[in-house]
Amino acid sequence: MIVLGIETSCDDTGIALVKDGILIYEVRSTQEEVHKKFGGVVPEVASREHFKTLLPLYDIIKEKFSEHIDAVAVTVGPGLPGSLSLGLCFAKTIALYEGVKIVGVNHLEAHLLACLLENRYPKFPCLGVIVSGGHTEMILWSGWGVYKRIGWTVDDAIGEVIDKIGREMGISYPAGSEIERLSQGAKGEIKISKLKMEGYMMSFSGIKTAALRVFRKIASKEDYSAFALGLQNSLFGSLSSKIERVIEDHQIKEIVLGGGVAANKILRDKVGEVCSEHSLSLMVPSPKFCADNAAMVAICGYDMILRGISDDLSLDYRSDWKIKI
Ligand code: KG4
Ligand code: ZN
Protein backbone atom coordinates (compact mmCIF):
# COMPACT_ATOMS: atom_id res chain seq x y z
CA MET A 1 0.00 0.00 0.00
CA ILE A 2 1.35 3.42 -0.98
CA VAL A 3 0.34 6.42 1.10
CA LEU A 4 1.05 10.03 0.16
CA GLY A 5 1.41 12.26 3.24
CA ILE A 6 0.87 16.01 3.32
CA GLU A 7 1.93 18.32 6.17
CA THR A 8 1.05 22.03 6.31
CA SER A 9 -0.03 22.57 9.93
CA CYS A 10 2.37 25.42 10.68
CA ASP A 11 5.38 26.79 8.79
CA ASP A 12 6.74 23.69 7.06
CA THR A 13 5.33 22.36 3.80
CA GLY A 14 6.00 18.68 3.28
CA ILE A 15 4.97 15.82 1.01
CA ALA A 16 6.14 12.22 1.46
CA LEU A 17 5.48 8.74 0.15
CA VAL A 18 5.37 5.66 2.34
CA LYS A 19 5.17 2.21 0.72
CA ASP A 20 4.19 -0.71 2.95
CA GLY A 21 5.36 1.23 5.99
CA ILE A 22 8.68 2.30 4.52
CA LEU A 23 9.55 5.88 3.62
CA ILE A 24 10.46 5.99 -0.05
CA TYR A 25 10.51 9.69 -0.83
CA GLU A 26 10.18 12.95 1.00
CA VAL A 27 10.31 16.64 0.11
CA ARG A 28 10.00 19.58 2.46
CA SER A 29 10.26 23.31 2.35
CA THR A 30 10.65 25.40 5.47
CA GLN A 31 9.38 28.95 5.79
CA GLU A 32 11.92 29.90 8.48
CA GLU A 33 13.55 32.57 6.30
CA VAL A 34 10.19 34.20 5.58
CA HIS A 35 9.02 34.35 9.20
CA LYS A 36 12.42 35.31 10.63
CA LYS A 37 11.88 39.02 10.10
CA PHE A 38 8.60 38.92 12.05
CA GLY A 39 10.12 37.04 15.02
CA GLY A 40 7.57 34.23 14.76
CA VAL A 41 5.07 32.58 12.43
CA VAL A 42 2.56 34.97 10.82
CA PRO A 43 -0.49 32.83 9.95
CA GLU A 44 -1.51 34.67 6.75
CA VAL A 45 2.05 34.59 5.45
CA ALA A 46 2.30 30.87 6.30
CA SER A 47 -0.86 30.11 4.28
CA ARG A 48 0.42 32.05 1.30
CA GLU A 49 3.74 30.19 1.40
CA HIS A 50 1.99 26.79 1.53
CA PHE A 51 -0.12 27.91 -1.42
CA LYS A 52 3.02 28.72 -3.44
CA THR A 53 4.95 25.60 -2.42
CA LEU A 54 2.52 22.66 -2.45
CA LEU A 55 2.22 22.18 -6.20
CA PRO A 56 5.97 22.47 -6.99
CA LEU A 57 6.73 19.94 -4.23
CA TYR A 58 4.05 17.59 -5.55
CA ASP A 59 5.50 17.91 -9.06
CA ILE A 60 8.94 16.88 -7.73
CA ILE A 61 7.40 13.77 -6.17
CA LYS A 62 5.45 12.91 -9.33
CA GLU A 63 8.57 13.26 -11.44
CA LYS A 64 10.49 10.80 -9.25
CA PHE A 65 7.68 8.40 -8.62
CA SER A 66 4.91 7.55 -11.05
CA GLU A 67 3.33 4.48 -9.36
CA HIS A 68 -0.35 4.67 -8.46
CA ILE A 69 -0.97 5.67 -4.85
CA ASP A 70 -3.58 4.00 -2.61
CA ALA A 71 -4.38 6.79 -0.17
CA VAL A 72 -3.68 10.37 0.83
CA ALA A 73 -2.96 11.17 4.49
CA VAL A 74 -3.17 14.81 5.51
CA THR A 75 -2.68 16.69 8.77
CA VAL A 76 -6.06 18.14 9.74
CA GLY A 77 -5.14 19.43 13.20
CA PRO A 78 -4.02 20.85 15.48
CA GLY A 79 -2.49 23.80 13.67
CA LEU A 80 -3.12 27.12 11.94
CA PRO A 81 -6.58 27.15 10.30
CA GLY A 82 -5.50 28.70 6.97
CA SER A 83 -2.49 26.39 6.64
CA LEU A 84 -4.47 23.25 7.55
CA SER A 85 -7.26 24.22 5.20
CA LEU A 86 -4.84 24.61 2.28
CA GLY A 87 -3.20 21.23 2.88
CA LEU A 88 -6.59 19.57 3.22
CA CYS A 89 -7.94 21.14 0.03
CA PHE A 90 -4.85 19.98 -1.84
CA ALA A 91 -5.15 16.47 -0.39
CA LYS A 92 -8.84 16.25 -1.31
CA THR A 93 -8.07 17.26 -4.88
CA ILE A 94 -5.47 14.50 -5.19
CA ALA A 95 -7.79 11.93 -3.55
CA LEU A 96 -10.56 12.92 -5.95
CA TYR A 97 -8.66 12.71 -9.21
CA GLU A 98 -6.60 9.65 -8.18
CA GLY A 99 -9.83 8.02 -6.93
CA VAL A 100 -8.24 6.98 -3.62
CA LYS A 101 -9.19 7.22 0.03
CA ILE A 102 -8.25 10.11 2.27
CA VAL A 103 -7.33 9.94 5.93
CA GLY A 104 -7.17 12.91 8.31
CA VAL A 105 -4.15 12.74 10.63
CA ASN A 106 -3.65 14.30 14.04
CA HIS A 107 -0.31 16.13 13.97
CA LEU A 108 0.54 15.11 17.55
CA GLU A 109 -0.19 11.44 16.90
CA ALA A 110 2.05 11.72 13.83
CA HIS A 111 4.89 13.09 16.01
CA LEU A 112 4.57 9.98 18.20
CA LEU A 113 4.48 7.59 15.25
CA ALA A 114 7.56 9.20 13.65
CA CYS A 115 9.64 6.47 15.35
CA LEU A 116 8.10 3.90 12.97
CA LEU A 117 9.93 5.58 10.09
CA GLU A 118 13.13 4.13 11.53
CA ASN A 119 11.62 0.71 12.17
CA ARG A 120 11.30 1.24 15.87
CA TYR A 121 8.08 0.12 17.49
CA PRO A 122 6.90 1.22 20.94
CA LYS A 123 6.57 -1.26 23.76
CA PHE A 124 3.09 -0.77 25.19
CA PRO A 125 2.02 0.61 27.56
CA CYS A 126 4.30 3.58 27.06
CA LEU A 127 4.32 7.28 27.77
CA GLY A 128 4.32 9.53 24.71
CA VAL A 129 5.77 12.98 25.32
CA ILE A 130 5.30 15.64 22.65
CA VAL A 131 7.53 18.70 22.97
CA SER A 132 7.12 21.21 20.17
CA GLY A 133 6.62 24.89 19.44
CA GLY A 134 2.89 24.69 20.16
CA HIS A 135 2.51 21.68 22.48
CA THR A 136 3.96 20.08 25.58
CA GLU A 137 1.86 17.01 26.33
CA MET A 138 2.14 13.67 28.08
CA ILE A 139 0.04 10.87 26.62
CA LEU A 140 -0.50 7.42 28.07
CA TRP A 141 -0.23 5.23 25.00
CA SER A 142 -1.50 1.77 25.73
CA GLY A 143 -1.87 0.27 22.24
CA TRP A 144 -2.18 1.19 18.56
CA GLY A 145 -4.56 4.16 18.45
CA VAL A 146 -5.28 4.05 22.19
CA TYR A 147 -4.27 7.31 23.84
CA LYS A 148 -5.08 9.11 27.06
CA ARG A 149 -3.92 12.69 27.45
CA ILE A 150 -2.83 13.00 31.07
CA GLY A 151 -0.74 16.16 31.35
CA TRP A 152 -0.17 19.28 29.30
CA THR A 153 0.88 22.87 29.64
CA VAL A 154 -1.80 25.34 30.63
CA ASP A 155 0.07 28.20 28.97
CA ASP A 156 3.26 28.35 26.89
CA ALA A 157 4.73 25.24 25.29
CA ILE A 158 8.44 24.59 25.93
CA GLY A 159 9.39 25.42 22.32
CA GLU A 160 7.38 28.63 22.55
CA VAL A 161 9.31 29.72 25.69
CA ILE A 162 12.62 28.96 23.96
CA ASP A 163 11.59 30.92 20.85
CA LYS A 164 10.34 33.91 22.91
CA ILE A 165 13.49 34.09 25.03
CA GLY A 166 15.59 33.58 21.90
CA ARG A 167 13.93 36.63 20.39
CA GLU A 168 14.91 38.69 23.46
CA MET A 169 18.48 37.41 23.02
CA GLY A 170 18.51 38.53 19.39
CA ILE A 171 18.32 34.99 18.00
CA SER A 172 16.07 34.62 14.99
CA TYR A 173 13.01 32.35 14.97
CA PRO A 174 12.99 29.40 15.64
CA ALA A 175 15.62 29.72 18.37
CA GLY A 176 15.84 26.14 19.68
CA SER A 177 18.84 24.80 17.81
CA GLU A 178 20.83 28.03 18.23
CA ILE A 179 20.15 28.11 21.99
CA GLU A 180 21.32 24.50 22.20
CA ARG A 181 24.45 25.35 20.20
CA LEU A 182 25.21 28.38 22.42
CA SER A 183 24.97 26.29 25.57
CA GLN A 184 27.54 23.80 24.28
CA GLY A 185 30.25 26.39 24.93
CA ALA A 186 29.07 27.20 28.46
CA LYS A 187 31.77 27.44 31.14
CA GLY A 188 29.21 27.58 33.93
CA GLU A 189 25.46 27.76 34.37
CA ILE A 190 23.18 30.66 35.29
CA LYS A 191 20.49 28.89 37.25
CA ILE A 192 16.82 29.55 36.57
CA SER A 193 14.15 28.25 38.92
CA LYS A 194 12.23 25.14 37.90
CA LEU A 195 8.52 24.45 37.76
CA LYS A 196 6.77 24.05 41.10
CA MET A 197 3.42 22.52 40.31
CA GLU A 198 1.78 19.40 41.66
CA GLY A 199 0.33 16.62 39.49
CA TYR A 200 0.89 16.10 35.79
CA MET A 201 -0.19 19.52 34.55
CA MET A 202 2.48 22.02 33.56
CA SER A 203 2.91 25.76 33.23
CA PHE A 204 6.00 27.26 31.67
CA SER A 205 5.11 30.96 31.64
CA GLY A 206 6.59 31.33 35.16
CA ILE A 207 9.94 29.98 33.94
CA LYS A 208 9.72 32.33 30.96
CA THR A 209 9.20 35.37 33.23
CA ALA A 210 11.94 34.27 35.62
CA ALA A 211 14.33 33.68 32.72
CA LEU A 212 13.59 37.09 31.19
CA ARG A 213 14.24 38.75 34.54
CA VAL A 214 17.58 36.93 34.85
CA PHE A 215 18.48 37.67 31.24
CA ARG A 216 17.88 41.43 31.60
CA LYS A 217 20.48 41.54 34.37
CA ILE A 218 23.14 39.92 32.23
CA ALA A 219 25.79 42.51 31.43
CA SER A 220 28.03 40.65 29.00
CA LYS A 221 27.38 38.55 25.89
CA GLU A 222 29.90 36.08 27.29
CA ASP A 223 27.25 35.01 29.79
CA TYR A 224 24.75 34.05 27.08
CA SER A 225 26.04 30.48 26.95
CA ALA A 226 25.66 29.96 30.71
CA PHE A 227 22.19 31.49 30.50
CA ALA A 228 21.19 29.25 27.57
CA LEU A 229 22.32 26.22 29.58
CA GLY A 230 20.38 27.35 32.66
CA LEU A 231 17.24 27.94 30.61
CA GLN A 232 17.32 24.46 29.07
CA ASN A 233 18.13 22.80 32.40
CA SER A 234 15.17 24.55 33.99
CA LEU A 235 12.67 23.70 31.22
CA PHE A 236 13.86 20.16 30.53
CA GLY A 237 14.47 19.38 34.23
CA SER A 238 10.87 20.42 34.98
CA LEU A 239 9.52 18.22 32.21
CA SER A 240 11.70 15.28 33.29
CA SER A 241 10.32 15.53 36.84
CA LYS A 242 6.77 15.31 35.46
CA ILE A 243 7.75 12.30 33.36
CA GLU A 244 9.26 10.67 36.45
CA ARG A 245 6.03 11.23 38.36
CA VAL A 246 4.06 9.45 35.65
CA ILE A 247 6.56 6.57 35.63
CA GLU A 248 6.13 6.17 39.39
CA ASP A 249 2.32 6.12 39.14
CA HIS A 250 1.83 3.95 36.06
CA GLN A 251 3.08 0.67 34.66
CA ILE A 252 5.10 1.90 31.71
CA LYS A 253 7.62 0.04 29.58
CA GLU A 254 9.01 2.86 27.50
CA ILE A 255 9.08 6.61 26.90
CA VAL A 256 8.56 7.91 23.37
CA LEU A 257 9.63 11.50 22.73
CA GLY A 258 8.49 13.48 19.70
CA GLY A 259 8.21 17.03 18.34
CA GLY A 260 10.77 19.63 17.25
CA VAL A 261 12.27 20.17 20.73
CA ALA A 262 12.97 16.42 21.03
CA ALA A 263 15.92 17.06 18.69
CA ASN A 264 17.66 18.68 21.68
CA LYS A 265 20.44 16.56 23.19
CA ILE A 266 20.13 18.03 26.70
CA LEU A 267 16.46 17.02 26.75
CA ARG A 268 17.19 13.58 25.31
CA ASP A 269 19.93 13.03 27.91
CA LYS A 270 17.80 14.21 30.82
CA VAL A 271 14.86 12.00 29.88
CA GLY A 272 17.34 9.20 29.14
CA GLU A 273 18.69 9.45 32.71
CA VAL A 274 15.18 9.18 34.17
CA CYS A 275 14.56 6.15 31.97
CA SER A 276 17.76 4.39 33.05
CA GLU A 277 17.01 5.05 36.72
CA HIS A 278 13.70 3.26 36.24
CA SER A 279 15.07 0.60 33.84
CA LEU A 280 12.93 1.82 30.95
CA SER A 281 13.90 2.32 27.36
CA LEU A 282 13.67 5.65 25.56
CA MET A 283 12.68 6.03 21.94
CA VAL A 284 13.33 9.32 20.12
CA PRO A 285 13.26 9.80 16.34
CA SER A 286 16.38 11.11 14.59
CA PRO A 287 16.41 14.94 14.70
CA LYS A 288 15.22 15.21 11.06
CA PHE A 289 12.04 13.33 11.99
CA CYS A 290 11.50 15.29 15.24
CA ALA A 291 10.82 18.51 13.30
CA ASP A 292 7.56 18.83 11.37
CA ASN A 293 7.59 16.62 8.29
CA ALA A 294 5.24 14.79 5.95
CA ALA A 295 6.90 11.38 6.39
CA MET A 296 5.42 11.09 9.89
CA VAL A 297 2.01 12.04 8.48
CA ALA A 298 2.25 9.39 5.76
CA ILE A 299 3.29 6.65 8.22
CA CYS A 300 0.56 7.70 10.66
CA GLY A 301 -2.01 7.55 7.84
CA TYR A 302 -0.67 4.14 6.81
CA ASP A 303 -1.03 2.88 10.38
CA MET A 304 -4.57 4.29 10.63
CA ILE A 305 -5.64 2.61 7.39
CA LEU A 306 -4.28 -0.72 8.74
CA ARG A 307 -6.48 -0.07 11.78
CA GLY A 308 -9.47 0.38 9.46
CA ILE A 309 -9.68 4.15 9.75
CA SER A 310 -10.30 6.41 6.76
CA ASP A 311 -12.38 9.48 5.93
CA ASP A 312 -14.41 10.77 3.02
CA LEU A 313 -14.32 14.05 1.16
CA SER A 314 -16.46 15.77 3.80
CA LEU A 315 -13.37 15.68 6.05
CA ASP A 316 -12.75 19.06 7.71
CA TYR A 317 -9.76 20.53 9.56
CA ARG A 318 -9.79 20.94 13.36
CA SER A 319 -7.30 23.58 14.43
CA ASP A 320 -7.51 22.69 18.14
CA TRP A 321 -7.85 18.89 17.71
CA LYS A 322 -6.70 17.08 20.84
CA ILE A 323 -5.09 13.67 20.55
CA LYS A 324 -7.78 10.98 20.99
CA ILE A 325 -8.85 10.09 24.54
O1 KG4 B 1 7.41 20.15 16.07
P1 KG4 B 1 7.93 21.42 15.49
O2 KG4 B 1 8.85 21.32 14.29
O3 KG4 B 1 6.76 22.38 15.11
C1 KG4 B 1 5.59 22.43 15.89
O4 KG4 B 1 4.72 21.53 15.71
O5 KG4 B 1 5.54 23.36 16.73
O6 KG4 B 1 8.71 22.20 16.68
C2 KG4 B 1 9.26 23.48 16.49
C3 KG4 B 1 9.92 23.90 17.79
C4 KG4 B 1 10.41 25.34 17.80
O7 KG4 B 1 9.98 25.95 18.99
C5 KG4 B 1 11.93 25.20 17.78
O8 KG4 B 1 12.62 26.28 18.41
C6 KG4 B 1 12.10 23.91 18.55
O9 KG4 B 1 11.07 23.08 18.06
N1 KG4 B 1 13.40 23.27 18.31
C7 KG4 B 1 14.31 23.05 19.29
C8 KG4 B 1 15.44 22.44 18.67
N2 KG4 B 1 15.15 22.30 17.34
C9 KG4 B 1 13.89 22.81 17.14
N3 KG4 B 1 14.28 23.33 20.61
C10 KG4 B 1 15.37 23.00 21.34
N4 KG4 B 1 16.47 22.43 20.82
C11 KG4 B 1 16.55 22.12 19.51
N5 KG4 B 1 17.65 21.55 19.00
ZN1 ZN C 1 4.96 19.60 15.20
Side-chain angles (χ1 to χ4, degrees), residues 270-294:
K270 273 203 185 322
V271 179
E273 273 165 34
V274 172
C275 287
S276 357
E277 276 162 26
H278 294 266
S279 309
L280 301 182
S281 47
L282 170 66
M283 187 149 64
V284 197
S286 303
K288 66 174 176 187
F289 293 128
C290 288
D292 286 352
N293 66 86

mmCIF file of all heavy atoms in Angstrom, residues 270-294:
data_model
loop_
_atom_site.group_PDB
_atom_site.id
_atom_site.type_symbol
_atom_site.label_atom_id
_atom_site.label_comp_id
_atom_site.label_asym_id
_atom_site.label_seq_id
_atom_site.Cartn_x
_atom_site.Cartn_y
_atom_site.Cartn_z
ATOM 1 N N LYS A 270 18.496 14.130 29.524
ATOM 2 C CA LYS A 270 17.797 14.214 30.818
ATOM 3 C C LYS A 270 16.707 13.140 30.924
ATOM 4 O O LYS A 270 16.582 12.459 31.932
ATOM 5 C CB LYS A 270 17.133 15.593 30.973
ATOM 6 C CG LYS A 270 18.061 16.636 31.558
ATOM 7 C CD LYS A 270 17.251 17.763 32.200
ATOM 8 C CE LYS A 270 18.110 18.896 32.690
ATOM 9 N NZ LYS A 270 19.370 18.590 33.288
ATOM 10 N N VAL A 271 15.917 13.004 29.848
ATOM 11 C CA VAL A 271 14.857 11.995 29.880
ATOM 12 C C VAL A 271 15.489 10.595 29.871
ATOM 13 O O VAL A 271 15.010 9.681 30.554
ATOM 14 C CB VAL A 271 13.869 12.190 28.704
ATOM 15 C CG1 VAL A 271 12.782 11.134 28.729
ATOM 16 C CG2 VAL A 271 13.237 13.578 28.762
ATOM 17 N N GLY A 272 16.609 10.472 29.172
ATOM 18 C CA GLY A 272 17.340 9.201 29.143
ATOM 19 C C GLY A 272 17.778 8.780 30.540
ATOM 20 O O GLY A 272 17.676 7.607 30.911
ATOM 21 N N GLU A 273 18.252 9.768 31.333
ATOM 22 C CA GLU A 273 18.687 9.455 32.715
ATOM 23 C C GLU A 273 17.518 8.944 33.547
ATOM 24 O O GLU A 273 17.640 7.965 34.273
ATOM 25 C CB GLU A 273 19.213 10.731 33.392
ATOM 26 C CG GLU A 273 20.677 10.999 33.128
ATOM 27 C CD GLU A 273 21.046 12.426 33.509
ATOM 28 O OE1 GLU A 273 20.477 12.981 34.478
ATOM 29 O OE2 GLU A 273 21.896 13.002 32.795
ATOM 30 N N VAL A 274 16.369 9.620 33.417
ATOM 31 C CA VAL A 274 15.182 9.185 34.168
ATOM 32 C C VAL A 274 14.825 7.756 33.760
ATOM 33 O O VAL A 274 14.512 6.916 34.607
ATOM 34 C CB VAL A 274 13.984 10.147 33.901
ATOM 35 C CG1 VAL A 274 12.700 9.620 34.510
ATOM 36 C CG2 VAL A 274 14.288 11.538 34.416
ATOM 37 N N CYS A 275 14.898 7.495 32.457
ATOM 38 C CA CYS A 275 14.559 6.149 31.974
ATOM 39 C C CYS A 275 15.513 5.113 32.550
ATOM 40 O O CYS A 275 15.072 4.059 33.013
ATOM 41 C CB CYS A 275 14.600 6.106 30.450
ATOM 42 S SG CYS A 275 13.230 6.951 29.709
ATOM 43 N N SER A 276 16.842 5.418 32.530
ATOM 44 C CA SER A 276 17.759 4.388 33.049
ATOM 45 C C SER A 276 17.553 4.170 34.537
ATOM 46 O O SER A 276 17.630 3.034 35.010
ATOM 47 C CB SER A 276 19.238 4.677 32.799
ATOM 48 O OG SER A 276 19.454 5.785 32.086
ATOM 49 N N GLU A 277 17.251 5.250 35.278
ATOM 50 C CA GLU A 277 17.013 5.050 36.721
ATOM 51 C C GLU A 277 15.850 4.107 36.974
ATOM 52 O O GLU A 277 15.776 3.451 37.996
ATOM 53 C CB GLU A 277 16.719 6.398 37.391
ATOM 54 C CG GLU A 277 17.994 7.155 37.761
ATOM 55 C CD GLU A 277 17.718 8.629 37.996
ATOM 56 O OE1 GLU A 277 16.577 8.991 38.365
ATOM 57 O OE2 GLU A 277 18.665 9.424 37.782
ATOM 58 N N HIS A 278 14.885 4.101 36.042
ATOM 59 C CA HIS A 278 13.701 3.260 36.239
ATOM 60 C C HIS A 278 13.729 2.035 35.317
ATOM 61 O O HIS A 278 12.695 1.385 35.126
ATOM 62 C CB HIS A 278 12.437 4.095 35.999
ATOM 63 C CG HIS A 278 12.253 5.166 37.024
ATOM 64 N ND1 HIS A 278 11.487 4.993 38.160
ATOM 65 C CD2 HIS A 278 12.769 6.412 37.113
ATOM 66 C CE1 HIS A 278 11.533 6.096 38.881
ATOM 67 N NE2 HIS A 278 12.297 6.982 38.278
ATOM 68 N N SER A 279 14.884 1.741 34.748
ATOM 69 C CA SER A 279 15.067 0.598 33.836
ATOM 70 C C SER A 279 14.051 0.572 32.700
ATOM 71 O O SER A 279 13.473 -0.475 32.382
ATOM 72 C CB SER A 279 14.985 -0.722 34.612
ATOM 73 O OG SER A 279 15.821 -0.686 35.709
ATOM 74 N N LEU A 280 13.840 1.729 32.105
ATOM 75 C CA LEU A 280 12.930 1.820 30.952
ATOM 76 C C LEU A 280 13.744 2.187 29.720
ATOM 77 O O LEU A 280 14.800 2.792 29.825
ATOM 78 C CB LEU A 280 11.902 2.941 31.137
ATOM 79 C CG LEU A 280 10.970 2.903 32.325
ATOM 80 C CD1 LEU A 280 10.029 4.086 32.261
ATOM 81 C CD2 LEU A 280 10.163 1.625 32.293
ATOM 82 N N SER A 281 13.192 1.866 28.561
ATOM 83 C CA SER A 281 13.895 2.318 27.358
ATOM 84 C C SER A 281 13.303 3.643 26.886
ATOM 85 O O SER A 281 12.172 3.997 27.237
ATOM 86 C CB SER A 281 13.837 1.259 26.268
ATOM 87 O OG SER A 281 12.530 0.776 26.146
ATOM 88 N N LEU A 282 14.101 4.358 26.105
ATOM 89 C CA LEU A 282 13.673 5.647 25.560
ATOM 90 C C LEU A 282 13.750 5.573 24.044
ATOM 91 O O LEU A 282 14.740 5.121 23.484
ATOM 92 C CB LEU A 282 14.613 6.756 26.062
ATOM 93 C CG LEU A 282 14.454 8.128 25.406
ATOM 94 C CD1 LEU A 282 13.097 8.744 25.728
ATOM 95 C CD2 LEU A 282 15.570 9.072 25.854
ATOM 96 N N MET A 283 12.684 6.030 23.406
ATOM 97 C CA MET A 283 12.684 6.031 21.944
ATOM 98 C C MET A 283 12.483 7.469 21.454
ATOM 99 O O MET A 283 11.504 8.119 21.837
ATOM 100 C CB MET A 283 11.554 5.130 21.442
ATOM 101 C CG MET A 283 11.586 4.942 19.971
ATOM 102 S SD MET A 283 10.958 3.327 19.494
ATOM 103 C CE MET A 283 9.301 3.405 19.992
ATOM 104 N N VAL A 284 13.420 7.954 20.677
ATOM 105 C CA VAL A 284 13.329 9.316 20.118
ATOM 106 C C VAL A 284 13.692 9.227 18.637
ATOM 107 O O VAL A 284 14.694 8.606 18.288
ATOM 108 C CB VAL A 284 14.333 10.303 20.777
ATOM 109 C CG1 VAL A 284 13.930 11.741 20.490
ATOM 110 C CG2 VAL A 284 14.473 10.072 22.252
ATOM 111 N N PRO A 285 12.894 9.842 17.757
ATOM 112 C CA PRO A 285 13.265 9.799 16.340
ATOM 113 C C PRO A 285 14.554 10.565 16.091
ATOM 114 O O PRO A 285 14.942 11.414 16.906
ATOM 115 C CB PRO A 285 12.096 10.515 15.630
ATOM 116 C CG PRO A 285 11.024 10.661 16.650
ATOM 117 C CD PRO A 285 11.661 10.590 17.998
ATOM 118 N N SER A 286 15.226 10.301 14.984
ATOM 119 C CA SER A 286 16.379 11.109 14.589
ATOM 120 C C SER A 286 15.914 12.560 14.480
ATOM 121 O O SER A 286 14.754 12.804 14.131
ATOM 122 C CB SER A 286 16.878 10.697 13.212
ATOM 123 O OG SER A 286 17.194 9.358 13.219
ATOM 124 N N PRO A 287 16.822 13.527 14.738
ATOM 125 C CA PRO A 287 16.409 14.939 14.700
ATOM 126 C C PRO A 287 15.602 15.334 13.460
ATOM 127 O O PRO A 287 14.637 16.071 13.553
ATOM 128 C CB PRO A 287 17.740 15.686 14.791
ATOM 129 C CG PRO A 287 18.600 14.759 15.608
ATOM 130 C CD PRO A 287 18.212 13.376 15.201
ATOM 131 N N LYS A 288 15.953 14.786 12.280
ATOM 132 C CA LYS A 288 15.222 15.208 11.065
ATOM 133 C C LYS A 288 13.742 14.792 11.108
ATOM 134 O O LYS A 288 12.895 15.392 10.460
ATOM 135 C CB LYS A 288 15.898 14.682 9.798
ATOM 136 C CG LYS A 288 15.860 13.191 9.648
ATOM 137 C CD LYS A 288 16.428 12.775 8.308
ATOM 138 C CE LYS A 288 16.455 11.263 8.266
ATOM 139 N NZ LYS A 288 17.060 10.628 7.206
ATOM 140 N N PHE A 289 13.436 13.740 11.883
ATOM 141 C CA PHE A 289 12.035 13.329 11.985
ATOM 142 C C PHE A 289 11.351 13.878 13.243
ATOM 143 O O PHE A 289 10.180 13.612 13.490
ATOM 144 C CB PHE A 289 11.906 11.795 11.942
ATOM 145 C CG PHE A 289 12.282 11.213 10.606
ATOM 146 C CD1 PHE A 289 13.197 10.181 10.518
ATOM 147 C CD2 PHE A 289 11.721 11.705 9.437
ATOM 148 C CE1 PHE A 289 13.561 9.636 9.293
ATOM 149 C CE2 PHE A 289 12.071 11.185 8.201
ATOM 150 C CZ PHE A 289 12.995 10.137 8.123
ATOM 151 N N CYS A 290 12.114 14.619 14.080
ATOM 152 C CA CYS A 290 11.495 15.294 15.238
ATOM 153 C C CYS A 290 10.772 16.540 14.742
ATOM 154 O O CYS A 290 9.650 16.837 15.146
ATOM 155 C CB CYS A 290 12.561 15.708 16.257
ATOM 156 S SG CYS A 290 13.268 14.332 17.162
ATOM 157 N N ALA A 291 11.422 17.291 13.849
ATOM 158 C CA ALA A 291 10.818 18.511 13.298
ATOM 159 C C ALA A 291 9.617 18.125 12.435
ATOM 160 O O ALA A 291 9.494 16.978 12.002
ATOM 161 C CB ALA A 291 11.862 19.227 12.459
ATOM 162 N N ASP A 292 8.742 19.095 12.190
ATOM 163 C CA ASP A 292 7.555 18.827 11.370
ATOM 164 C C ASP A 292 7.945 18.286 10.001
ATOM 165 O O ASP A 292 8.826 18.836 9.343
ATOM 166 C CB ASP A 292 6.751 20.127 11.192
ATOM 167 C CG ASP A 292 6.017 20.496 12.468
ATOM 168 O OD1 ASP A 292 6.008 19.685 13.409
ATOM 169 O OD2 ASP A 292 5.448 21.597 12.506
ATOM 170 N N ASN A 293 7.289 17.227 9.586
ATOM 171 C CA ASN A 293 7.594 16.615 8.288
ATOM 172 C C ASN A 293 6.404 15.788 7.816
ATOM 173 O O ASN A 293 5.536 15.423 8.615
ATOM 174 C CB ASN A 293 8.846 15.728 8.430
ATOM 175 C CG ASN A 293 8.611 14.543 9.335
ATOM 176 O OD1 ASN A 293 8.132 13.502 8.896
ATOM 177 N ND2 ASN A 293 8.895 14.664 10.635
ATOM 178 N N ALA A 294 6.377 15.522 6.510
ATOM 179 C CA ALA A 294 5.239 14.790 5.952
ATOM 180 C C ALA A 294 5.416 13.282 6.060
ATOM 181 O O ALA A 294 4.445 12.535 5.955
ATOM 182 C CB ALA A 294 5.054 15.179 4.487
#
